[in-house]
Amino acid sequence: MAITVVVGAQWGDEGKGKITDILAEDADLVVRYQGGNNAGHTVVIGDEEFKLHLIPSGILHPDCTCIMADGTVVDPEVLAEEIKCLQERGYSCDNLRVSCNAHVIMPYHRLLDGLAEEARGGKSIGTTRRGIGPAYTDKTARMPQPVRFGDLADGQKLRGLIADQLAQKNVIIQQLYQHPPLNPHEVFEEVWASAQLVSKYAADTHKIVQGSAQAGEQIILEGAQGTFLDLDYGTYPFVTSSHPVAGGACLGTGVGPTAIDQVTLVCKAYTTRVGAGILPTEAPDEAAQELRDRGCEYGTTTGRPRRCGWLDGVVLHSAAMINGATSVALTQLDVLDTLAKIPVCIGYEIEGVLLDTVPAWAEELVKVRPVYEELAGWQQPLGEAREWTQLPPAARAYVERVAEIAGVPVGMISVGPSREQTIIVD
Ligand code: GDP
């Protein structure tokens, strides 16, 4: 395995948490490379369900060090709460490290996120209003200096940084949004309470990752969201503020592209998306509701119902190329158990031309008409299957077609939420 990137092929919620948790069994390090608490991973162990928003899924393996790298944005209040919940369930979190360089989501980021969404009215981009976008905006703006995770241990410095930030932010809050200003002292007190709990996890995480890589240890670089929510590759502006693609795994983790051995592309057997933006294979209401109900397609973080549709082979094929995928982990195959026929999009038709990759220009993408082929359903439950040969022929044919479309082999098949409901394909 050496260094493996786990990346979502679609619009997030592909089941990366489960796949990372399984791979983490043999891993020494799990590194989350981007995103904030707008992502959510669900891991099921026996009867227990864990919903993780910030902390990498490897945390459930106490021998595995879990890192939140420079490219993540960290809300200390949310982190403190997540650590507390895990500790109450017997996971010490002593194996967690957060990069000193990771930017901190502050109360003013959350406020500005909500104010901006409200001001957009009908043109909202569907953010989770958790301050992630504004925190990334400040990161690239650089001045005044935003708060980073390494600043949380020093109360005096933190106070100064908050005062500098609010001198600017309060002008925007009051004059652009007609909202009362934030009080620097109150903001400090709010953040300081959780800063004292989480600042001990700060570390030079590059050193840890590089040391581990040089020692030949097994490392997983875990992405949040998915390929088509990437700031550049996604359906802009309905994207996230960071780089979920495999290339993003080199930004701030400490390793370069040539150090990466494998890229596991996690792809749901159908398609979902939360919030606004183009979804070419969105199913009609009744079929979408069936997928939603069978797949429990409601957001881990927000509870929002996810839009549902058929597998989009064009998205999958493009994602395999964009990420340099070496294999596919096909998840939620069991959600399709009841269907007699399963449509799969194998191309986009636009003005008489058939495309097999996603057009880069979003204005072209809105014009495409998905072209489907229909595969036979298996109409029996897959949840008990543990080996390739235990899958019915129609399910195997579906998986083989997915591999053909992706252009890379399917290495793992997930037939249910729990760890055991996984088939490793030779
Ligand atoms: P992530 O953000 O990519 O990790 O995905 P989420 O955790 O948001 O969503 C995946 C959901 O599907 C979670 O509730 C998982 O427990 C569940 N899940 C993962 N794999 C499977 C599977 O193969 N079958 C079913 N039915 N559910 C799965």
Side-chain angles (χ1 to χ4, degrees):
M1 181 168 72
I3 302 187
T4 302
V5 178
V6 176
V7 56
Q10 297 148 318
W11 281 275
D13 310 313
E14 296 95 346
K16 297 175 295 296
K18 171 181 165 168
I19 300 302
T20 302
D21 172 66
I22 290 169
L23 295 175
E25 209 170 343
D26 300 319
D28 300 286
L29 271 188
V30 176
V31 185
R32 171 136 174 221
Y33 56 86
Q34 45 73 232
N37 53 308
N38 50 346
H41 296 319
T42 310
V43 180
V44 179
I45 303 174
D47 297 335
E48 282 204 272
E49 189 177 70
F50 296 83
K51 289 188 185 296
L52 302 167
H53 300 291
L54 271 177
I55 299 180
S57 316
I59 201 75
L60 305 174
H61 298 273
D63 295 335
C64 174
T65 301
C66 285
I67 287 177
M68 298 179 60
D70 304 23
T72 60
V73 285
V74 186
D75 186 324
E77 294 173 51
V78 175
L79 182 62
E81 184 57 29
E82 201 159 303
I83 291 171
K84 184 169 150 254
C85 289
L86 282 164
Q87 286 173 339
E88 282 168 3
R89 295 171 78 174
Y91 294 87
S92 71
C93 294
D94 291 343
N95 49 337
L96 177 68
R97 302 285 178 275
V98 182
S99 170
C100 297
N101 287 345
H103 280 245
V104 174
I105 299 173
M106 300 291 284
Y108 40 82
H109 292 133
R110 290 194 298 260
L111 176 65
L112 284 165
D113 204 356
L115 291 173
E117 274 292 85
E118 271 157 38
R120 286 181 202 116
K123 289 188 171 170
S124 114
I125 53 171
T127 87
T128 52
R129 303 182 182 215
R130 307 236 155 123
I132 284 102
Y136 277 114
T137 304
D138 279 357
K139 177 179 178 174
T140 44
R142 294 166 295 164
M143 294 305 283
Q145 190 186 322
V147 179
R148 292 188 292 168
F149 203 80
D151 298 319
L152 292 179
D154 181 343
Q156 211 179 340
K157 183 175 182 196
L158 184 60
R159 247 184 220 285
L161 292 173
I162 291 172
D164 288 349
Q165 285 289 325
L166 281 182
Q168 191 200 60
K169 299 271 182 290
N170 272 337
V171 177
I172 300 170
I173 289 169
Q174 287 173 280
Q175 296 193 5
L176 187 59
Y177 297 117
Q178 285 78 50
H179 189 279
L182 294 181
N183 176 311
H185 177 70
E186 284 171 13
V187 169
F188 172 78
E189 290 299 326
E190 182 182 341
V191 175
W192 185 236
S194 37
Q196 288 170 287
L197 299 173
V198 300
S199 58
K200 66 175 181 186
Y201 297 100
D204 177 344
T205 54
H206 301 174
K207 229 184 244 173
I208 302 173
V209 177
Q210 287 160 354
S212 176
Q214 275 165 0
E217 292 183 349
Q218 308 290 314
I219 302 175
I220 297 170
L221 306 176
E222 177 188 27
Q225 287 99 25
T227 301
F228 289 94
L229 289 174
D230 183 274
L231 189 55
D232 283 317
Y233 284 111
T235 49
Y236 196 89
F238 304 103
V239 292
T240 198
S241 311
S242 57
H243 293 288
V245 294
C250 298
L251 305 176
T253 51
V255 292
T258 52
I260 292 168
D261 301 285
Q262 289 175 39
V263 176
T264 299
L265 187 65
V266 185
C267 178
K268 206 175 260 197
Y270 50 100
T271 304
T272 59
R273 176 167 197 165
V274 178
I278 175 86
L279 184 60
T281 61
E282 189 157 16
D285 286 352
E286 204 179 316
Q289 191 58 45
E290 191 176 345
L291 290 171
R292 191 174 301 118
D293 289 343
R294 286 195 48 80
C296 304
E297 296 295 355
Y298 298 88
T300 309
T301 294
T302 58
R304 287 190 279 187
R306 296 173 183 151
R307 295 157 66 196
C308 295
W310 310 115
L311 182 70
D312 188 333
V314 182
V315 157
L316 174 60
H317 179 59
S318 291
M321 286 193 285
I322 288 166
N323 293 292
T326 54
S327 72
V328 170
L330 186 66
T331 61
Q332 270 116 319
L333 190 59
D334 56 298
V335 172
L336 306 179
D337 282 353
T338 52
L339 302 172
K341 297 264 180 226
I342 310 172
V344 172
C345 168
I346 48 155
Y348 290 161
E349 199 262 340
I350 180 163
E351 290 157 12
V353 179
L354 194 66
L355 306 180
D356 66 352
T357 52
V358 177
W361 187 233
E363 284 177 28
E364 202 173 323
L365 184 58
V366 293
K367 292 190 214 146
V368 303
R369 189 184 63 82
V371 178
Y372 291 101
E373 72 180 21
E374 258 188 357
L375 299 187
W378 40 93
Q379 295 190 289
Q380 66 184 84
L382 298 186
E384 299 297 319
R386 299 291 177 268
E387 288 178 26
W388 174 249
T389 51
Q390 292 170 346
L391 289 176
R396 280 186 284 188
Y398 192 84
V399 176
E400 280 164 351
R401 187 72 178 108
V402 167
E404 204 170 64
I405 291 169
V408 287
V410 172
M412 287 169 104
I413 303 165
S414 176
V415 292
S418 74
R419 276 180 183 169
E420 311 76 60
Q421 290 174 300
T422 311
I423 297 168
I424 307 294
V425 187
D426 280 336

